[in-house]
């Protein structure tokens, strides 16, 4: 059976190849319902998802297609049977008519059985795939799934096998272009990024997210931010910067084996050009960022670093949605960070808490926010 990607504009739909409807024993499943499954959606965002119809696995009763069909037929049959009984005792003509009506009553009663195989159900194979520009491809083997009754048996690690194969191929390409002296300078990184294999098959963020060694020590993004822009490498450095800014789905919160993040590395080296590249990127907060910030010597660099977009835990959510005072207190600890506009955040939380918390809870919240609130709003301890 020929299958085509859906006509939806959503990118995940474009990577889902399947029949319009899956006729399972448990009912009909649409493409949209397939993509509601977390693992299918995740796979379709990165790779192709192929759904092929297999053998017929059973038949479905008309009751499965038309709700309440069987009780309806039974009610009509019973009504006709009652009418035929009444007519049978009224006259000879009535008896004849009653017999005819009784015949129809029997037909209605048996309709659900006669139409039990109104439509067939099938089993379906689901497989992940990535096709490369050179004509080769990778497919899932261990994660291949057979659907028969419902979507309940889809495994959580549907994408892992494909990612492992894709990363292995990427690593083989990197090794083939590995610098003989082992140094990843700007010229080497640019040569890798501009190679046909990388541009063709790994330009959706993978070229900066996948590791460049078997031990997972580093990525091309990490290696690039280890470099400082100089007069000698300026042209290559700027071209790499342009590639980074135009590449989607880059994970800027990468960590090396030691747990050092990219933004921590930039602050530690006081790399002003790197800081300018990531100034609009949102980074996860780590306490070590505060330590590094306090040790910055260049005041101009420090002033720019203070404006970084740092994502903190959400104290407002912890307090008003999760109703957890302990999580709220823990999240507020981030207010001491030089990257946090603590007074503005504290004011917003305090204002929203009014009318939503009782007096005792408000007193506790005020105590936790005490150092960050304007003095007129501080309650007496």
């Amino acid at each position: 059976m020929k299958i085509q990607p859906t006509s939806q504009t959503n990118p995940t739909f474009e990577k889902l190849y399947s029949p319009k409807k899956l006729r399972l024993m448990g009912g009909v499943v649409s493409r949209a319902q397939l993509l509601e499954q977390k693992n299918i959606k995740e796979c379709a965002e990165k790779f192709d998802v192929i759904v092929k119809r297999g053998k017929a696995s059973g038949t479905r009763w008309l009751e499965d297609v038309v709700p309440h069909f069987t009780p309806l037929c039974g009610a009509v049959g019973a009504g006709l049977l009652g009418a035929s009984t009444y007519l049978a005792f009224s006259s000879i003509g009535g008896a004849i008519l009653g017999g005819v009506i009784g015949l129809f009553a029997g037909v209605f009663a048996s309709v659900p059985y006669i139409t039990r195989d109104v439509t067939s159900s099938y089993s379906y194979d689901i497989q992940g795939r990535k096709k490369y520009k050179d004509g080769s491809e990778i497919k899932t083997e261990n994660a291949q799934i057979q659907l028969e009754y419902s979507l309940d048996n889809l495994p959580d690690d549907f994408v892992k096998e494909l990612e492992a194969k894709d990363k292995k191929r990427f690593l083989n390409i990197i090794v083939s272009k590995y610098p003989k002296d082992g140094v990843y300078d700007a010229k080497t990184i640019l040569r890798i990024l501009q190679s046909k294999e990388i541009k063709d098959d790994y330009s959706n963020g993978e070229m900066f997210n996948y590791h460049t060694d078997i031990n997972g020590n580093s990525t091309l993004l990490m290696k690039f931010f280890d470099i400082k822009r100089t007069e000698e490498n300026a042209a290559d450095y700027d071209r790499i910067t342009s590639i980074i800014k135009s590449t989607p789905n880059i994970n800027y919160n990468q960590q090396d084996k030691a747990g050092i993040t990219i933004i921590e590395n930039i602050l530690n080296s006081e790399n002003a050009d790197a800081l300018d590249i990531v100034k609009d990127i949102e980074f996860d907060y780590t306490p070590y960022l505060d330590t590094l910030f306090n040790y910055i010597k260049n005041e101009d660099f420090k002033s720019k670093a203070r404006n970084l977009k740092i994502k903190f835990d959400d104290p407002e959510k912890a307090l008003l949605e999760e109703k957890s005072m302990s999580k709220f207190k823990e999240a507020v600890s981030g207010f001491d960070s030089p990257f946090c506009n603590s007074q503005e955040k504290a004011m917003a939380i305090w204002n929203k808490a009014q009318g939503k918390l009782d007096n005792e809870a408000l007193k506790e919240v005020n105590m936790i926010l005490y150092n960050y609130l304007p003095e007129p709003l501080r309650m007496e301890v």
Side-chain angles (χ1 to χ4, degrees):
M1 179 178 59
K2 187 176 182 180
I3 49 179
Q4 298 292 338
T6 74
S7 59
Q8 302 284 341
T9 55
N10 188 327
T12 55
F13 275 93
E14 293 173 3
K15 289 181 171 287
L16 175 63
Y17 294 76
S18 77
K20 289 184 178 179
K21 293 181 179 179
L22 277 62
R23 298 187 179 279
L24 302 172
M25 287 290 288
V28 175
V29 175
S30 67
R31 285 170 170 168
Q33 287 173 309
L34 266 180
L35 284 179
E36 289 175 1
Q37 304 299 308
K38 180 182 177 182
N39 43 1
I40 296 295
K41 185 175 185 295
E42 183 182 355
C43 188
E45 287 172 345
K46 300 177 181 179
F47 308 105
D48 293 336
V49 178
I50 313 296
V51 183
K52 292 184 178 180
R53 193 177 79 182
K55 62 182 181 179
S57 58
T59 55
R60 297 177 66 217
W61 291 62
L62 193 58
E63 173 71 19
D64 297 327
V65 182
V66 182
H68 313 299
F69 181 73
T70 299
L72 181 62
C73 287
V76 173
L80 290 174
L81 185 60
S84 67
T85 303
Y86 172 78
L87 291 171
F89 289 98
S90 63
S91 65
I92 296 177
I96 295 173
L97 182 60
V100 173
I101 294 176
L103 178 63
F104 276 103
V107 170
F108 267 96
S110 61
V111 162
Y113 177 78
I114 296 171
T115 58
R116 67 189 184 283
D117 57 352
V118 66
T119 181
S120 296
S121 59
Y122 300 87
S123 63
Y124 294 83
D125 289 332
I126 296 185
Q127 192 172 45
R129 179 192 71 183
K130 180 174 181 178
K131 297 188 74 172
Y132 299 108
K133 290 291 180 66
D134 63 4
S136 62
E137 63 179 29
I138 55 173
K139 291 182 178 180
T140 53
E141 294 174 8
N142 297 334
Q144 189 166 343
I145 312 155
Q146 187 179 79
L147 296 177
E148 188 167 355
Y149 190 81
S150 68
L151 302 178
D152 294 340
N153 64 328
L154 291 175
D156 293 331
D157 58 353
F158 186 59
V159 182
K160 287 184 179 179
E161 184 186 349
L162 270 182
E163 281 189 334
K165 291 181 177 180
D166 197 36
K167 289 177 180 178
K168 182 178 179 180
R169 183 178 183 272
F170 175 82
L171 189 57
N172 288 336
I173 295 172
I174 294 295
V175 169
S176 70
K177 303 180 183 303
Y178 190 82
K180 293 180 180 179
D181 57 5
V183 177
Y184 278 86
D185 56 16
K187 189 174 295 295
T188 299
I189 294 175
L190 181 62
R191 178 166 54 83
I192 292 173
L193 294 176
Q194 291 184 328
S195 65
K196 188 176 187 304
E197 304 97 318
I198 299 298
K199 290 171 67 176
D200 283 349
D201 302 313
Y202 297 98
S203 58
N204 194 33
E206 305 97 335
M207 57 186 172
F208 291 113
N209 297 337
Y210 284 176
H211 288 109
T212 55
D213 61 276
I214 195 170
N215 295 317
N217 291 315
S218 189
T219 65
L220 287 179
L221 192 69
M222 293 180 193
K223 292 183 183 301
F224 172 70
F225 284 124
D226 282 337
I227 301 170
K228 285 199 172 184
R229 188 178 185 274
T230 64
E231 289 186 10
E232 291 76 19
N233 70 12
D236 293 334
Y237 190 98
D238 292 346
R239 291 174 76 179
I240 296 171
T241 298
S242 179
I243 293 172
I244 289 174
K245 289 185 176 182
S246 63
T247 301
N249 303 318
I250 296 177
N251 174 20
Y252 288 93
N253 286 295
Q254 298 173 20
Q255 296 181 358
D256 63 16
K257 278 288 188 178
I260 304 299
T261 65
I262 283 174
I263 190 58
E264 288 171 351
N265 184 30
I266 291 173
L267 293 183
N268 185 53
S269 61
E270 298 189 28
N271 189 337
D273 293 296
L275 185 68
D276 185 63
I277 294 171
V278 301
K279 63 183 179 181
D280 296 320
I281 303 299
E282 185 177 68
F283 292 96
D284 293 336
Y285 172 73
T286 65
Y288 188 44
L289 284 175
D290 298 341
T291 302
L292 290 171
F293 179 85
N294 292 328
Y295 278 101
I296 294 174
K297 296 178 181 178
N298 186 305
E299 289 301 320
D300 184 53
F301 181 85
K302 194 170 191 175
S303 176
K304 292 179 180 178
R306 191 186 298 273
N307 295 321
L308 280 168
K309 297 180 179 179
I310 305 298
K311 181 182 178 181
F312 294 88
D313 289 338
D314 189 349
E316 183 181 314
K317 180 180 178 181
L319 178 66
L320 301 179
E321 294 182 25
E322 299 178 7
K323 312 292 185 183
S324 173
M325 197 64 74
S326 60
K327 286 184 179 180
F328 170 68
K329 187 175 183 178
E330 183 180 348
V332 168
S333 64
F335 282 13
D336 292 327
S337 171
F339 299 103
C340 180
N341 191 336
S342 55
Q343 188 173 86
E344 181 180 312
K345 286 180 176 288
M347 282 285 295
I349 293 171
W350 179 248
N351 289 333
K352 289 183 180 180
Q354 308 301 310
K356 294 184 179 180
L357 302 176
D358 59 36
N359 289 335
E360 288 302 315
L362 283 173
K363 287 181 181 178
E364 188 173 357
V365 169
N366 193 277
M367 188 185 307
I368 295 171
L369 296 177
Y370 191 85
N371 293 327
Y372 314 108
L373 289 171
E375 191 167 341
L377 294 179
R378 296 174 182 174
M379 294 181 178
E380 292 185 10
V381 180

